[in-house]
PDB file of all heavy atoms in Angstrom:
ATOM      1  N   GLY A 114      41.474  12.576  -9.031  1.00  0.00           N
ATOM      2  CA  GLY A 114      42.459  13.625  -9.255  1.00  0.00           C
ATOM      3  C   GLY A 114      42.070  14.903  -8.551  1.00  0.00           C
ATOM      4  O   GLY A 114      40.900  15.133  -8.243  1.00  0.00           O
ATOM      5  N   HIS A 115      43.073  15.751  -8.326  1.00  0.00           N
ATOM      6  CA  HIS A 115      42.827  17.074  -7.755  1.00  0.00           C
ATOM      7  C   HIS A 115      42.719  18.135  -8.845  1.00  0.00           C
ATOM      8  O   HIS A 115      42.377  19.281  -8.548  1.00  0.00           O
ATOM      9  CB  HIS A 115      43.971  17.460  -6.802  1.00  0.00           C
ATOM     10  CG  HIS A 115      43.949  16.723  -5.494  1.00  0.00           C
ATOM     11  ND1 HIS A 115      42.812  16.586  -4.738  1.00  0.00           N
ATOM     12  CD2 HIS A 115      44.939  16.091  -4.809  1.00  0.00           C
ATOM     13  CE1 HIS A 115      43.096  15.909  -3.632  1.00  0.00           C
ATOM     14  NE2 HIS A 115      44.377  15.587  -3.661  1.00  0.00           N
ATOM     15  N   SER A 116      43.040  17.761 -10.076  1.00  0.00           N
ATOM     16  CA  SER A 116      43.056  18.739 -11.162  1.00  0.00           C
ATOM     17  C   SER A 116      42.879  18.006 -12.481  1.00  0.00           C
ATOM     18  O   SER A 116      42.981  16.772 -12.546  1.00  0.00           O
ATOM     19  CB  SER A 116      44.393  19.494 -11.169  1.00  0.00           C
ATOM     20  OG  SER A 116      45.453  18.592 -11.471  1.00  0.00           O
ATOM     21  N   PHE A 120      43.814  13.958 -13.569  1.00  0.00           N
ATOM     22  CA  PHE A 120      42.942  13.026 -14.284  1.00  0.00           C
ATOM     23  C   PHE A 120      43.597  12.565 -15.584  1.00  0.00           C
ATOM     24  O   PHE A 120      43.577  11.373 -15.917  1.00  0.00           O
ATOM     25  CB  PHE A 120      41.596  13.684 -14.585  1.00  0.00           C
ATOM     26  CG  PHE A 120      40.688  13.824 -13.401  1.00  0.00           C
ATOM     27  CD1 PHE A 120      40.345  15.076 -12.906  1.00  0.00           C
ATOM     28  CD2 PHE A 120      40.146  12.713 -12.773  1.00  0.00           C
ATOM     29  CE1 PHE A 120      39.502  15.213 -11.820  1.00  0.00           C
ATOM     30  CE2 PHE A 120      39.301  12.829 -11.676  1.00  0.00           C
ATOM     31  CZ  PHE A 120      38.976  14.096 -11.195  1.00  0.00           C
ATOM     32  N   VAL A 139      34.480  12.609 -10.662  1.00  0.00           N
ATOM     33  CA  VAL A 139      34.487  14.065 -10.523  1.00  0.00           C
ATOM     34  C   VAL A 139      33.479  14.508  -9.456  1.00  0.00           C
ATOM     35  O   VAL A 139      33.065  15.668  -9.434  1.00  0.00           O
ATOM     36  CB  VAL A 139      34.152  14.749 -11.868  1.00  0.00           C
ATOM     37  CG1 VAL A 139      35.246  14.499 -12.890  1.00  0.00           C
ATOM     38  CG2 VAL A 139      32.795  14.269 -12.402  1.00  0.00           C
ATOM     39  N   LYS A 145      39.183  18.134  -1.164  1.00  0.00           N
ATOM     40  CA  LYS A 145      39.010  19.583  -1.192  1.00  0.00           C
ATOM     41  C   LYS A 145      39.198  20.193  -2.573  1.00  0.00           C
ATOM     42  O   LYS A 145      38.911  21.363  -2.785  1.00  0.00           O
ATOM     43  CB  LYS A 145      39.972  20.245  -0.193  1.00  0.00           C
ATOM     44  CG  LYS A 145      39.723  19.822   1.244  1.00  0.00           C
ATOM     45  CD  LYS A 145      40.558  20.615   2.206  1.00  0.00           C
ATOM     46  CE  LYS A 145      40.370  20.122   3.641  1.00  0.00           C
ATOM     47  NZ  LYS A 145      38.987  20.192   4.083  1.00  0.00           N
ATOM     48  N   SER A 146      39.674  19.426  -3.536  1.00  0.00           N
ATOM     49  CA  SER A 146      39.814  19.947  -4.894  1.00  0.00           C
ATOM     50  C   SER A 146      39.653  18.795  -5.867  1.00  0.00           C
ATOM     51  O   SER A 146      39.759  17.636  -5.506  1.00  0.00           O
ATOM     52  CB  SER A 146      41.184  20.611  -5.081  1.00  0.00           C
ATOM     53  OG  SER A 146      42.229  19.688  -4.828  1.00  0.00           O
ATOM     54  N   GLY A 147      39.350  19.125  -7.121  1.00  0.00           N
ATOM     55  CA  GLY A 147      39.198  18.110  -8.148  1.00  0.00           C
ATOM     56  C   GLY A 147      37.769  17.655  -8.355  1.00  0.00           C
ATOM     57  O   GLY A 147      37.474  16.951  -9.306  1.00  0.00           O
ATOM     58  N   THR A 148      36.859  18.075  -7.458  1.00  0.00           N
ATOM     59  CA  THR A 148      35.477  17.627  -7.586  1.00  0.00           C
ATOM     60  C   THR A 148      34.532  18.724  -8.033  1.00  0.00           C
ATOM     61  O   THR A 148      33.404  18.440  -8.423  1.00  0.00           O
ATOM     62  CB  THR A 148      34.960  17.058  -6.254  1.00  0.00           C
ATOM     63  OG1 THR A 148      35.061  18.070  -5.248  1.00  0.00           O
ATOM     64  CG2 THR A 148      35.769  15.843  -5.835  1.00  0.00           C
ATOM     65  N   SER A 149      34.962  19.993  -8.007  1.00  0.00           N
ATOM     66  CA  SER A 149      34.083  21.068  -8.451  1.00  0.00           C
ATOM     67  C   SER A 149      33.753  20.927  -9.931  1.00  0.00           C
ATOM     68  O   SER A 149      32.704  21.379 -10.383  1.00  0.00           O
ATOM     69  CB  SER A 149      34.724  22.431  -8.181  1.00  0.00           C
ATOM     70  OG  SER A 149      35.964  22.543  -8.865  1.00  0.00           O
ATOM     71  N   VAL A 150      34.636  20.262 -10.661  1.00  0.00           N
ATOM     72  CA  VAL A 150      34.375  20.040 -12.084  1.00  0.00           C
ATOM     73  C   VAL A 150      33.105  19.227 -12.281  1.00  0.00           C
ATOM     74  O   VAL A 150      32.402  19.388 -13.284  1.00  0.00           O
ATOM     75  CB  VAL A 150      35.586  19.344 -12.752  1.00  0.00           C
ATOM     76  CG1 VAL A 150      35.789  17.945 -12.213  1.00  0.00           C
ATOM     77  CG2 VAL A 150      35.428  19.281 -14.251  1.00  0.00           C
TER      78      VAL A 150
END
Side-chain angles (χ1 to χ4, degrees):
H115 286 313
S116 65
F120 286 114
V139 294
K145 298 187 184 301
S146 59
T148 59
S149 60
V150 66

